[in-house]
Amino acid sequence: MTDSLDNIEIFHPKKQLNLFGYKKNFKSFVNLSLKNKLPNTILLSGKKGSGKATFAYHFINYLLSISEKNKYSVENFSINPENKSYKDLCENIHPNFYLLENRDKEENIKIDDVRNIQKFLSKSTYKSNIKIVLIDNAEYLNVNSSNALLKSLEEPNDNTFFFIINNNSKRILSTIKSRSIEFRFFLDINEK
């Protein structure tokens, strides 16, 4: 999906092949992963439109494509468009990935959508023995859906990772924050 604004194409974060900014953050995440110290629940906080979702999709592609042909290029911070995981994510068919977001700009993420995470987590993995849940616009979780999410966050498996994208810290439950490692994202002057 692209939009055209004054001759500038804006790509949906999952289809953005190059990572702009956050290269130090990315390298830190890669190092944590290589040392098997990547937190199971990562909260990416910052202003809407600052690149948190693009960063998350890049790191998710890195994790899912490690043993694949045309894997993620850590040197160039880029996704190979021929990579199988990238294609599957774009088509919303990757068996080891679950996306939860508010649909059609609805005010809240529904509790039934959160409960579907449990169904996803109960299935066996496909290839890489890793499961990833991406929750975008977490500030749209209401109290009931937040409480349902807590059940999934409390005891994750070693190879299950939650990436929670939060655009408004005041609207996310403190209990979700307490079960997450928060990383604040903002572009510095040069990156802007």
Side-chain angles (χ1 to χ4, degrees):
M1 175 179 149
T2 62
D3 294 323
S4 182
L5 300 171
D6 300 324
N7 297 326
I8 296 173
E9 282 189 287
I10 300 173
F11 292 91
H12 186 279
K14 88 168 75 167
K15 295 190 177 184
Q16 181 57 258
L17 296 174
N18 296 303
L19 182 65
F20 298 100
Y22 307 124
K23 291 175 172 69
K24 288 180 184 176
N25 301 66
F26 197 89
K27 287 179 181 177
S28 295
F29 276 48
V30 168
N31 286 334
L32 287 171
S33 174
L34 292 173
K35 294 176 183 176
N36 291 321
K37 294 188 177 193
L38 187 68
N40 289 94
T41 306
I42 297 171
L43 181 63
L44 305 175
S45 298
K47 289 184 179 180
K48 187 157 186 71
S50 61
K52 298 177 303 296
T54 300
F55 177 89
Y57 276 107
H58 272 254
F59 191 69
I60 289 166
N61 182 266
Y62 164 79
L63 291 173
L64 293 173
S65 72
I66 285 175
S67 61
E68 294 179 348
K69 184 178 179 185
N70 303 313
K71 66 182 179 180
Y72 188 86
S73 172
V74 177
E75 297 80 30
N76 298 321
F77 302 97
S78 63
I79 297 172
N80 187 319
E82 298 303 314
N83 173 256
K84 179 167 177 22
S85 285
Y86 170 72
K87 290 178 180 180
D88 288 352
L89 282 173
C90 287
E91 297 295 322
N92 296 320
I93 60 169
H94 199 291
N96 296 8
F97 176 77
Y98 186 86
L99 174 63
L100 177 63
E101 61 185 341
N102 59 329
R103 295 185 210 141
D104 302 321
K105 306 285 185 210
E106 289 181 29
E107 273 301 305
N108 292 316
I109 295 174
K110 307 285 185 229
I111 191 169
D112 289 336
D113 294 331
V114 175
R115 288 181 178 148
N116 287 332
I117 292 173
Q118 285 293 341
K119 293 176 189 173
F120 166 74
L121 295 175
S122 68
K123 295 177 184 175
S124 59
T125 58
Y126 174 58
K127 233 180 4 183
S128 58
N129 196 28
I130 186 174
K131 288 188 180 185
I132 298 174
V133 176
L134 174 62
I135 302 171
D136 199 358
N137 299 316
E139 65 272 14
Y140 289 103
L141 290 162
N142 62 28
V143 173
N144 294 328
S145 55
S146 292
N147 287 329
L149 176 61
L150 288 173
K151 292 177 184 175
S152 298
L153 298 179
E154 285 173 349
E155 296 177 20
N157 294 332
D158 287 339
N159 290 331
T160 300
F161 299 96
F162 289 85
F163 292 88
I164 303 172
I165 298 174
N166 174 35
N167 300 306
N168 186 345
S169 293
K170 295 176 185 167
R171 291 191 58 193
I172 191 165
L173 286 183
S174 60
T175 49
I176 290 177
K177 284 183 183 180
S178 70
R179 287 169 176 78
S180 309
I181 302 297
E182 184 173 12
F183 295 88
R184 297 185 185 273
F185 277 68
F186 57 90
L187 293 170
D188 65 27
I189 300 291
N190 294 330
E191 292 171 332
K192 284 181 186 178

